[in-house]
Amino acid sequence: MAAAGRRDAPEAPDFGILKRLARDQLIYLLEQLPGKKDLFIEADLMSPLDRIANVSILKQHEVDKLYKVETRPAPSASDQFCFLVRPRIRTMRYIADIVNADKMSGRSRKYKIIFSPQKFYACEMVLEEEGVFGDVTCDEWSFYLLPLDEDIISMELPEFFRDYFLPAQSSRGPAGGRSPLDQLCRSSPAAAELPVRPFWQSLRDRQMCQDTDYVTALCSQVVYEGLVDDTFRIKCGSVDFGPDVTSSDKSIKVLLNAQDKVFSQIRNEHFSSVFGFLSQKSRNLQAQYDRRRGMDIKQMKNFVSQELKGLKQEHRLLSLHIGACESIMKKKTKQDFQEMIKAEHSLLEGFDIRESTSFIEEHIDRQVSPIESLRLMCLLSITENGLVPKDYRSLKTQYLQSYGPEHLLTFHNLKRIGLLTEQAAGETLTAVESRVSKLVTDRAAGKITDAFNSLARKSNFRAISKKLGLIPRLDGEYDLKMPRDMAYVFSGAYVPLSCKIIEQVLERRGWQGLEEVLRLLNGHEFSVSDSTAEDGAAAEAQRVVLAVFLGGCTFSEIAALRFLGKERGCKFIFLTTAITNSARVMEAMSEARA
Amino acid sequence: MSRARADEEEYWHSSKFRAFTFDDEDDELSQLKESKQAVNSLRDIVDDDDDDLERVSWSGEPVGSISWSIKETVSSSASSLEGRDSSLQKGSSSYAAFPKQVSSYSLSSLFRGRNKLPSFQSLSDALSDTGVKNYAPELRRPKAEYKDYSNDWSPKDTVRRMQRGKVCSLERFRSLQDKLVLLDEAVAGHDGNVITAVLIFLKRTLRREILFRELEVRQVALCHLIHFLKETGEQKLLLDLLRFLDRTEEVALSQYREHLNIQDVEKRREFLKGCIGLPFSAEDTSHIQDHYTLLERQIIIEANDRHLEMSGQSEIFRKYPRKASILNMPLVTTLFYSCFYHYTEAEGTFSSPTNLKKTFKIPDKQYVLTALAARAKLRAWGDVDALFTTKNWLGYTKKKAPIGFHRVVEILQRNNAPVQVLQEYVCLVEDVETRLSLATKYKCHDVVIETYKDLKDRIQLTAYKCKVERGSAEEEKINSILNNMQIRWKN
């Protein structure tokens, strides 16, 4: 690492404008239906919408009542209905049912559908089939990019992962199958109107597909923000802290971002360092409060008017995060977290496979958690290039017995995507490969071919991690408080592959020398888009790096790259289809009980 | 080999990953507790401003999040609808704008702070001030611009126009060749939306055999059609397509998936019966068979037990009323249930644990874990004992378990087993270190004392003296061991 001449990272551009553009467009669309109206909002648009608008803005534009799509519509007196939805077929049916019911009862209303981020032809087809085509008007709200924080922009398309990577389903993301990056640069008016446009162009893009590195998403997260996400689920940058955290009888919704002065200092830290920090902070706070003891009236007045407010706020944040830490500790201790981490680390290292396998088995037998069990099995499969057939069968049987037979479908999904496979007995990989490529005649259509190839994907985990040194070998203790490399995000056990590759590419100023790695990664994962000449100006521009994650990225990866950025004096901007973690990946593959 | 082992040992014994443990007795947690105390002690000084945590109300001016108010509308409308829609819990959390100064993103601060932040002069302000309704309709792009009246675009241009979201009539593509060229253009455009639009057109205008035949050599388009059919729920056409493609396993899975939508258990059971014959792999066929058998059993058990419970004759049901029906539960849950309510039944009955074990070939390990959990929950320590006791051919009894005894201890402890019971199993834990730590944790003094004695560790034993009560039998025991001249202490 270039320790000498460490430079400060440049500031991130202000992405707030993306929010304002989205809001203004929404308002414009709402005004297309003048007068009072009821607004029906799709469930997964609610959190993103909360980030950019609020009820009073909607009210100002004559939205009367708000409903969630999918709930039975209440008998409403409103003459106008507006639907803010994702372009999904079942949502179209829901709307059509409402319109048709009104028609039957002779009620006449105006209906408007606002599709976000775009309208699909298939949706219009459904409206036509249901006989409501002329009765509703349609519009598009091109809300593609939501800034979650100073350096994170999310497309909030969690479904992208399943739709894009579960082969034989389709290559069609909700964004219509175009790469999100294309979307970003071409079809999103929001991006096109950005004043930061030149900035986009000067960036070197790194497209990371999540199916390259499942390992990162499968490991337990141990940096604070990751743990909070794993434990409480961060939704659109905000989290619901329940009564166990707030030590009161109510839940509190908290925004977690760089504005939170306590959170911003601990979010990227390994969990073990967080305690020390919090206790130091609380001691300082105590000291500052104590100061008021010796004060005279005037000083006191000053104290109250100038400092008290800040202190109070800090106090509130501190007690929240301490509460969160406690709650995390309680939950993790109950779950044998220590043992689980140990099992994960031995899987990464390739030691004690038998022992880890029986740990997983016991985990399943005790019905600890369907998602966690599945996650550990996948980790075993990826690191070992598939399970030995005997183990696969026995684990699968026990899983079905513990968590329900319908998970048979889950196992098929996981197999198809290459997350949980059986080591082929007898049939060599090349045989599978040639069969697949025979199947795939349409080579030109790159993406789906890639997806198809994952059928035959050897995970190559060992070879890659050796080649890139993803598992640091070192003597003695890994000092988590003074991390030496990005591996700290997994307690020194693993460097996220995506982060390592980014580091290498930045170091080498290109992909030279990484051909072997690319081959192991099946080459086509990366769009190599840095044809630009490497002159001085470009090097300067490279101090802001856009990392694009397709299929989602984890807070651990974000923490690792922020660490790298600090080391190298550059600023990473994260653009992702969604923030993800192991539970979300597993749930996307899981066939839920109806 | 041994070399690798040694490395491995060293690796795990090196302190690399021990720097931090998720153990409740760790220093770190006490540190956390301290800071919590410190912060809590300040609470009375700062807690005077609850008014900052504004409640959000729909009609009131302080405004809240959109998700919140949707819940409100739902719950208020639900109450008018005889309180239906229980799936949406009403305002379980108070969405307080917290902490409002922290973030300029906070909705309420956006609203409140508008005056302070002139940069927020957005379109919304401007619009609401000038009565936009009058000119808004004119702002709209003329409708005609969307429409495309000219019908002679080339396939390429058609696809390009469609990609831009324009309405294009596809009716002029009538010959098969034209249709296919159009499809290939759409695929080349990498836009799933357009590909699907063309597929809808082809599906409408081509006989399905011809459509299938052409798609077989166009995998991308095929994937889109399969996805589309799944989304729209055209199950019959989907199955025909999969059959045509000879994807028999997918046909089977796709049919099996349908059972998830069948609510009625009898119908579901019938449906599952039909699934057994589907072309699954041999392994999966047996899983499907098991699924069917399980549901069949559950229906019988449920009917019997509901009757038993209602009649109030069975003590166990009176003492521990059932919380939920056993229908559609996983096998292990069913086993737990049967170990809980039907433990002593003869093997002949459908609800007996042994019958379940035999029918579904439940491995010993799984069985013991589940039975243990169930009996421990009932505090039936005698049953627990019997679960692990085996007799050898000489008639001696011995305790054996297919799972580690440390697990047994853990499960017992979680069910608040008394020390006497715990002790019996703690001393069976093979690994000395684990045994010691468990015994110390759960205060099984005798086990600790005996273990130190066996280890001939005088120092530890002496140190342990302060952990037992003064004047207790345990203390006496320690003293007598320490005074025993025959023991050769190692230290």
Side-chain angles (χ1 to χ4, degrees):
Chain A
M1 201 128 296
R6 203 194 254 210
R7 294 176 297 183
D8 282 339
E11 288 287 306
D14 177 18
F15 293 115
I17 187 150
L18 288 171
K19 287 191 190 179
R20 255 172 282 157
L21 283 171
R23 186 163 47 128
D24 291 349
Q25 201 196 354
L26 177 65
I27 288 164
Y28 172 77
L29 291 170
L30 286 175
E31 288 295 337
Q32 298 297 304
L33 194 65
K36 267 206 184 315
K37 58 215 153 229
D38 285 354
L39 185 62
F40 294 71
I41 305 176
E42 188 124 37
D44 55 354
L45 274 170
M46 273 159 50
S47 291
L49 188 57
D50 253 339
R51 290 281 83 78
I52 59 155
N54 61 30
V55 175
S56 97
I57 288 182
L58 297 182
K59 273 190 87 175
Q60 277 171 32
H61 300 281
E62 298 180 271
V63 170
D64 188 16
K65 286 206 178 72
L66 287 165
Y67 297 95
K68 190 163 129 189
V69 161
E70 299 286 317
T71 51
R72 273 173 38 88
S76 170
S78 179
D79 284 332
Q80 308 197 80
F81 282 177
C82 188
F83 300 90
L84 188 56
V85 297
R86 294 279 189 214
R88 291 194 187 110
I89 283 167
R90 60 164 195 278
T91 316
M92 292 307 109
R93 299 231 164 99
Y94 162 85
I95 295 171
D97 285 348
I98 292 179
V99 177
N100 280 326
D102 282 349
K103 277 190 189 171
M104 291 290 282
S105 58
R107 183 113 180 50
S108 89
R109 284 188 239 257
K110 270 192 182 166
Y111 311 93
K112 180 181 201 64
I113 305 176
I114 300 174
F115 293 97
S116 174
Q118 79 175 93
K119 179 173 68 181
F120 282 167
Y121 289 103
C123 293
E124 288 184 312
M125 180 212 77
V126 175
L127 294 176
E128 187 175 344
E129 277 181 359
E130 300 280 343
V132 297
F133 189 79
D135 303 313
V136 298
T137 55
C138 296
D139 255 313
E140 288 181 345
W141 181 32
S142 329
F143 179 34
Y144 286 96
L145 303 170
L146 173 68
L148 291 181
D149 207 338
E150 289 173 355
D151 56 353
I152 308 174
I153 302 173
S154 167
M155 303 183 67
E156 289 302 319
L157 297 172
E159 286 172 6
F160 181 85
F161 171 63
R162 186 188 162 109
D163 286 353
Y164 202 79
F165 292 116
L166 198 56
Q169 285 234 349
S170 135
S171 72
R172 145 201 178 154
R178 276 171 276 172
S179 135
L181 206 63
D182 292 355
Q183 288 286 1
L184 177 82
C185 301
R186 270 192 238 130
S187 47
S188 160
E193 288 158 24
L194 266 183
V196 287
R197 176 110 203 219
F199 158 78
W200 289 113
Q201 289 168 341
S202 74
L203 289 172
R204 292 166 36 152
D205 312 328
R206 297 276 159 264
Q207 280 195 43
M208 290 283 140
C209 285
Q210 209 214 334
D211 72 334
T212 318
D213 178 25
Y214 284 125
V215 174
T216 302
L218 290 173
C219 288
S220 298
Q221 304 197 69
V222 283
V223 292
Y224 183 63
E225 192 165 11
L227 261 171
V228 172
D229 191 29
D230 279 358
T231 319
F232 306 102
R233 295 258 170 153
I234 300 175
K235 248 164 96 193
C236 268
S238 104
V239 71
D240 257 327
F241 280 139
D244 55 329
V245 174
T246 57
S247 34
S248 66
D249 52 351
K250 50 190 173 186
S251 298
I252 298 183
K253 220 175 198 183
V254 186
L255 277 174
L256 295 177
N257 56 30
Q259 314 284 319
D260 179 333
K261 288 290 171 279
V262 174
F263 179 69
S264 63
Q265 290 181 73
I266 52 175
R267 64 196 306 184
N268 301 317
E269 297 295 320
H270 188 275
F271 195 53
S272 59
S273 326
V274 171
F275 298 147
F277 176 85
L278 289 179
S279 78
Q280 181 62 44
K281 266 270 182 200
S282 52
R283 270 202 298 278
N284 288 351
L285 189 65
Q286 177 104 53
Q288 274 176 291
Y289 271 112
D290 286 347
R291 274 203 351 254
R292 92 206 123 92
R293 291 231 170 90
M295 285 180 187
D296 56 37
I297 295 287
K298 196 168 162 226
Q299 284 170 322
M300 194 62 142
K301 205 173 150 194
N302 255 336
F303 176 79
V304 170
S305 65
Q306 285 168 16
E307 288 173 56
L308 193 59
K309 202 167 181 173
L311 290 180
K312 271 182 185 175
Q313 192 194 323
E314 194 177 329
H315 172 264
R316 184 167 285 157
L317 291 171
L318 261 178
S319 63
L320 256 185
H321 288 294
I322 289 172
C325 280
E326 264 193 326
S327 170
I328 290 171
M329 280 299 280
K330 235 184 253 161
K331 282 186 187 132
K332 295 297 176 190
T333 321
K334 225 192 252 160
Q335 282 174 3
D336 290 332
F337 196 55
Q338 197 58 36
E339 243 182 292
M340 190 137 78
I341 294 255
K342 193 183 145 200
E344 278 176 30
H345 289 176
S346 16
L347 288 177
L348 288 170
E349 295 255 5
F351 285 141
D352 287 333
I353 297 306
R354 260 317 354 126
E355 218 169 281
S356 304
T357 311
S358 48
F359 174 79
I360 298 172
E361 193 178 26
E362 222 170 84
H363 208 266
I364 295 171
D365 287 352
R366 288 161 58 216
Q367 294 186 307
V368 180
S369 142
I371 292 295
E372 293 274 309
S373 301
L374 212 52
R375 171 177 78 83
L376 290 170
M377 283 167 77
C378 291
L379 192 62
L380 173 66
S381 168
I382 295 274
T383 52
E384 288 296 298
N385 261 337
L387 269 61
V388 184
K390 192 173 134 282
D391 287 346
Y392 180 81
R393 259 155 229 202
S394 120
L395 286 177
K396 178 173 167 184
T397 305
Q398 293 183 57
Y399 192 93
L400 299 185
Q401 293 183 336
S402 269
Y403 301 119
E406 66 277 8
H407 281 291
L408 188 76
L409 299 163
T410 310
F411 277 83
H412 273 275
N413 288 342
L414 288 168
K415 196 170 209 170
R416 211 186 277 163
I417 204 171
L419 261 170
L420 182 55
T421 55
E422 197 177 344
Q423 283 170 12
E427 191 180 40
T428 58
L429 184 79
T430 37
V432 180
E433 249 168 8
S434 66
R435 214 179 59 208
V436 169
S437 42
K438 234 187 291 163
L439 259 169
V440 182
T441 48
D442 198 348
R443 278 252 150 206
K447 280 301 171 190
I448 197 69
T449 324
D450 299 354
F452 244 95
N453 279 350
S454 70
L455 254 183
R457 166 136 341 126
K458 257 186 104 156
S459 89
N460 286 328
F461 173 74
R462 292 265 166 262
I464 292 166
S465 68
K466 201 174 226 165
K467 188 90 201 153
L468 284 170
L470 298 183
I471 296 170
R473 283 230 144 261
L474 30 91
D475 318 308
E477 196 172 304
Y478 190 97
D479 187 355
L480 292 168
K481 296 192 172 148
M482 293 289 288
R484 65 180 91 182
D485 56 26
M486 295 186 283
Y488 89 94
V489 301
F490 290 120
S491 306
Y494 178 67
V495 185
L497 174 64
S498 53
C499 304
K500 189 71 180 186
I501 289 177
I502 290 174
E503 179 201 277
Q504 288 297 310
V505 170
L506 289 178
E507 201 127 286
R508 290 159 199 262
R509 306 177 148 256
W511 292 86
Q512 290 89 359
L514 292 175
E515 295 81 6
E516 172 68 10
V517 175
L518 278 177
R519 198 184 56 75
L520 288 169
L521 291 170
N522 298 331
H524 46 248
E525 301 299 346
F526 300 96
S527 71
V528 182
S529 55
D530 50 342
S531 50
T532 50
E534 307 284 337
D535 51 41
E540 192 52 34
Q542 281 164 21
R543 291 184 59 212
V544 178
V545 181
L546 176 70
V548 181
F549 291 79
L550 303 184
C553 81
T554 61
F555 281 118
S556 295
E557 285 165 303
I558 292 176
L561 285 177
R562 280 179 184 147
F563 174 85
L564 182 68
K566 240 185 251 161
E567 294 276 306
R568 299 186 57 97
C570 59
K571 181 91 191 168
F572 283 96
I573 308 291
F574 304 92
L575 173 59
T576 177
T577 47
I579 298 286
T580 192
N581 63 12
S582 57
R584 293 190 189 103
V585 172
M586 291 297 110
E587 277 160 18
M589 291 296 117
S590 196
E591 297 277 344
R593 203 175 270 276
Chain B
M1 185 63 206
S2 66
R3 162 96 217 192
R5 252 237 92 82
D7 276 357
E8 198 179 311
E9 292 275 285
E10 193 191 31
Y11 173 76
W12 283 115
H13 287 126
S14 74
S15 46
K16 187 173 167 191
F17 295 117
R18 294 205 176 173
F20 171 67
T21 57
F22 279 85
D23 204 329
D24 44 359
E25 271 143 344
D26 203 75
D27 291 350
E28 310 271 10
L29 191 61
S30 63
Q31 205 179 11
L32 194 62
K33 276 184 185 139
E34 266 171 44
S35 16
K36 186 173 169 128
Q37 268 167 12
V39 171
N40 280 347
S41 70
L42 298 176
R43 186 151 282 167
D44 46 349
I45 314 174
V46 267
D47 247 14
D48 54 337
D49 51 358
D50 255 5
D51 53 332
D52 272 9
L53 296 166
E54 54 195 327
R55 278 288 303 191
V56 257
S57 78
W58 172 231
S59 49
E61 242 337 71
V63 283
S65 70
I66 287 155
S67 13
W68 177 82
S69 65
I70 286 183
K71 278 191 189 157
E72 274 307 282
T73 5
V74 166
S75 53
S76 63
S77 65
S79 57
S80 68
L81 287 167
E82 300 149 321
R84 244 169 292 167
D85 242 320
S86 55
S87 60
L88 281 148
Q89 332 89 308
K90 183 177 170 179
S92 55
S93 48
S94 74
Y95 291 74
F98 174 89
K100 61 175 187 194
Q101 306 92 332
V102 168
S103 151
S104 62
Y105 299 156
S106 158
L107 291 172
S108 60
S109 73
L110 255 186
F111 178 68
R112 279 196 183 178
R114 174 117 39 82
N115 302 335
K116 290 179 225 152
L117 296 168
S119 63
F120 266 110
Q121 259 289 339
S122 63
L123 184 60
S124 57
D125 306 319
L127 287 183
S128 54
D129 287 340
T130 43
V132 71
K133 276 163 283 172
N134 300 328
Y135 62 77
E138 289 161 24
L139 278 176
R140 194 157 194 204
R141 280 167 287 178
K143 254 231 143 76
E145 208 184 295
Y146 287 105
K147 287 257 159 90
D148 165 29
Y149 294 113
S150 153
N151 265 351
D152 38 7
W153 301 99
S154 72
K156 203 182 199 118
D157 287 334
T158 307
V159 166
R160 208 176 292 149
R161 289 180 65 81
M162 288 176 78
Q163 278 178 344
R164 274 180 277 147
K166 305 206 170 171
V167 175
C168 273
S169 165
L170 302 178
E171 297 303 326
R172 59 171 281 266
F173 297 96
R174 301 196 69 168
S175 75
L176 179 59
Q177 206 204 336
D178 282 353
K179 290 180 205 283
L180 294 175
V181 169
L182 181 67
L183 181 62
D184 291 339
E185 281 295 341
V187 169
H190 290 293
D191 188 329
N193 182 24
V194 178
I195 299 173
T196 311
V198 173
L199 282 169
I200 293 169
F201 168 67
L202 294 196
K203 176 172 156 272
R204 189 163 52 80
T205 55
L206 284 174
R207 196 155 63 90
R208 63 174 59 170
E209 285 74 17
I210 296 179
L211 178 66
F212 292 171
R213 189 189 72 205
E214 294 301 335
L215 287 184
E216 198 177 8
V217 292
R218 289 172 174 81
Q219 287 291 320
V220 179
L222 179 64
C223 286
H224 281 273
L225 184 65
I226 291 174
H227 185 79
F228 174 76
L229 294 178
K230 278 185 183 162
E231 286 268 293
T232 51
E234 288 173 76
Q235 181 78 355
K236 205 176 156 301
L237 187 58
L238 176 65
L239 292 179
D240 283 347
L241 174 59
L242 293 174
R243 268 188 218 111
F244 175 87
L245 297 167
D246 245 353
R247 298 196 191 166
T248 49
E249 197 175 20
E250 269 182 68
V251 173
L253 286 167
S254 188
Q255 263 176 288
Y256 171 67
R257 182 177 284 113
E258 276 181 69
H259 87 266
L260 292 168
N261 303 323
I262 303 174
Q263 296 305 322
D264 182 82
V265 274
E266 287 294 339
K267 280 193 193 135
R268 191 184 262 215
R269 187 183 57 119
E270 276 312 301
F271 185 86
L272 286 172
K273 195 175 183 182
C275 286
I276 297 172
L278 294 174
F280 287 105
S281 66
E283 187 201 351
D284 286 351
T285 303
S286 79
H287 290 312
I288 304 287
Q289 171 79 54
D290 279 354
H291 190 176
Y292 166 71
T293 317
L294 179 64
L295 187 59
E296 195 181 30
R297 288 292 171 87
Q298 287 172 339
I299 291 174
I300 298 171
I301 298 175
E302 177 69 21
N304 277 336
D305 288 1
R306 198 186 305 133
H307 180 74
L308 263 177
E309 193 177 22
M310 300 264 273
S311 68
Q313 282 161 2
S314 165
E315 197 195 324
I316 180 103
F317 285 108
R318 251 182 296 142
K319 229 166 142 187
Y320 305 96
R322 301 187 311 156
K323 287 196 188 93
S325 122
I326 195 63
L327 295 172
N328 294 318
M329 290 294 166
L331 175 62
V332 171
T333 313
T334 314
L335 179 63
F336 181 90
Y337 175 94
S338 110
C339 286
F340 196 90
Y341 289 111
H342 305 279
Y343 195 59
T344 51
E345 269 168 35
E347 202 186 307
T349 62
F350 279 143
S351 47
S352 90
T354 23
N355 189 313
L356 283 175
K357 185 179 181 221
K358 269 219 173 121
T359 313
F360 295 99
K361 298 192 195 72
I362 299 172
D364 259 354
K365 216 174 171 179
Q366 177 101 299
Y367 179 80
V368 168
L369 272 170
T370 314
L372 172 63
R375 298 324 284 172
K377 185 143 212 149
L378 285 167
R379 308 177 68 80
W381 310 122
D383 291 340
V384 170
D385 193 56
L387 205 53
F388 299 108
T389 311
T390 50
K391 261 195 188 139
N392 69 2
W393 60 280
L394 289 171
Y396 294 121
T397 57
K398 207 188 155 204
K399 283 230 159 48
K400 256 175 77 179
I403 48 172
F405 274 108
H406 68 283
R407 260 300 163 239
V408 178
V409 171
E410 190 201 301
I411 293 172
L412 289 173
Q413 198 274 330
R414 211 170 275 173
N415 288 292
N416 302 319
V419 175
Q420 295 88 316
V421 176
L422 271 184
Q423 196 152 290
E424 211 173 313
Y425 296 93
V426 172
C427 65
L428 291 170
V429 174
E430 234 165 72
D431 180 61
V432 179
E433 253 181 66
T434 323
R435 193 197 312 156
L436 269 175
S437 82
L438 284 174
T440 319
K441 200 162 161 190
Y442 302 134
K443 302 205 163 50
C444 303
H445 299 310
D446 278 346
V447 182
V448 180
I449 297 167
E450 287 297 327
T451 310
Y452 283 138
K453 184 183 156 196
D454 291 346
L455 288 172
K456 306 197 189 326
D457 193 337
R458 186 163 50 181
I459 296 175
Q460 290 291 342
L461 187 59
T462 318
Y464 196 72
K465 223 161 79 169
C466 65
K467 298 233 175 112
V468 299
E469 248 175 80
R470 275 233 169 152
S472 65
E474 283 88 8
E475 195 188 40
E476 223 164 89
K477 190 172 174 186
I478 294 179
N479 284 331
S480 88
I481 292 173
L482 285 174
N483 293 330
N484 188 337
M485 303 305 273
Q486 273 165 2
I487 300 174
R488 285 201 179 163
W489 299 104
K490 71 167 183 189
N491 49 27

